[in-house]
Amino acid sequence: MAEPQSPRALPLYLKVAAALRDDLTQGRIAPGTRLPSERSLVHRFRVNRHTVRNALQLLRDERLVVTERRGTFAASAGPETEGPALAPGLLHFPCGTGRPDAPAVVRLEWEPAPSGVAGQLGLVPGEPSLVHRHQVPGDGVAPVQEAVSRFSRYALAEVPELARHRGAGVRPAHRPDLRLLYHWMHRAGLRLTRRESIGVGHGPVATTCLTVHRVVSDQHGHVLEVTDIRFAPDAASWTYEFTG
């Protein structure tokens, strides 16, 4: 059946998943109980079967339901299902924690994006946006690892937890906690994709350094974040991985 929706509307499968998630977390569907059949869910939500299947797949990724030959069941209560769960591989932002003797330095700033990135972030030249900087100090003046993430106007509008940091640069220095960033994006109905290029360049981390340029977008093609990672070839590895 037809399912018209505006480009900015929340995808229907996310609405179905949200309603079922609420049933599961509020106990209206008890752990171990079989969920209604796909046909029943199609009639309940007035959507097609493909939408229902996408919603159930999302709940499986979140480990809220399990599917067997006999049907789909609410996951049994236990440590693995307590609290919010993300799809496999959806990790904290960022995961480069530094070395024991040189913990990472993290700060949040509010500054204009470089001219080459402003348009990509949906900003006019000179317009400020949120910037997350993550550095691991080295033995000298320059850091051995650095990641600079710039967030788009669209990301600040769509992710309430991120929007709270608007104007962060005018506040006293603090250590921001954005570890759940990708969970916030996921919860806002954004299905993330990333595109990255890897090369060798020059920057503050070393005379010669490895570089990663990463662009994170949602399912509609809106750019959410642009991150540039630089690290010395002999520095510790950098883990910064997720799936949508």
Side-chain angles (χ1 to χ4, degrees), residues 109-241:
E109 299 172 328
W110 188 254
E111 62 181 47
S115 58
V117 181
Q120 195 174 20
L121 296 173
L123 307 172
V124 298
E127 181 180 356
S129 189
L130 196 63
V131 180
H132 180 277
R133 297 182 185 277
H134 186 285
Q135 294 179 333
V136 176
D139 296 331
V141 177
V144 295
Q145 296 179 359
E146 179 184 59
V148 179
S149 299
R150 302 180 185 276
F151 299 101
S152 69
R153 179 193 295 169
Y154 182 82
L156 291 174
E158 295 297 316
V159 184
E161 296 89 346
L162 194 59
R164 294 193 192 112
H165 295 284
R166 185 181 294 274
V170 303
R171 296 203 298 269
H174 64 294
R175 184 180 176 89
D177 188 356
L178 298 189
R179 287 176 297 170
L180 294 181
L181 172 66
Y182 297 130
H183 173 70
W184 299 337
M185 290 180 173
H186 191 260
R187 188 165 59 192
L190 306 177
R191 304 292 286 171
L192 311 181
T193 61
R194 68 180 180 186
R195 182 173 185 238
E196 51 186 44
S197 54
I198 301 173
V200 177
H202 299 278
V205 301
T207 302
T208 301
C209 59
L210 299 178
T211 66
V212 178
H213 179 73
R214 175 167 297 150
V215 178
V216 179
S217 307
D218 72 357
Q219 67 271 35
H220 304 298
H222 298 118
V223 173
L224 303 172
E225 168 205 335
V226 174
T227 295
D228 285 295
I229 303 171
R230 294 181 285 270
F231 55 96
D234 57 348
S237 62
W238 182 278
T239 303
Y240 198 110
E241 178 182 357

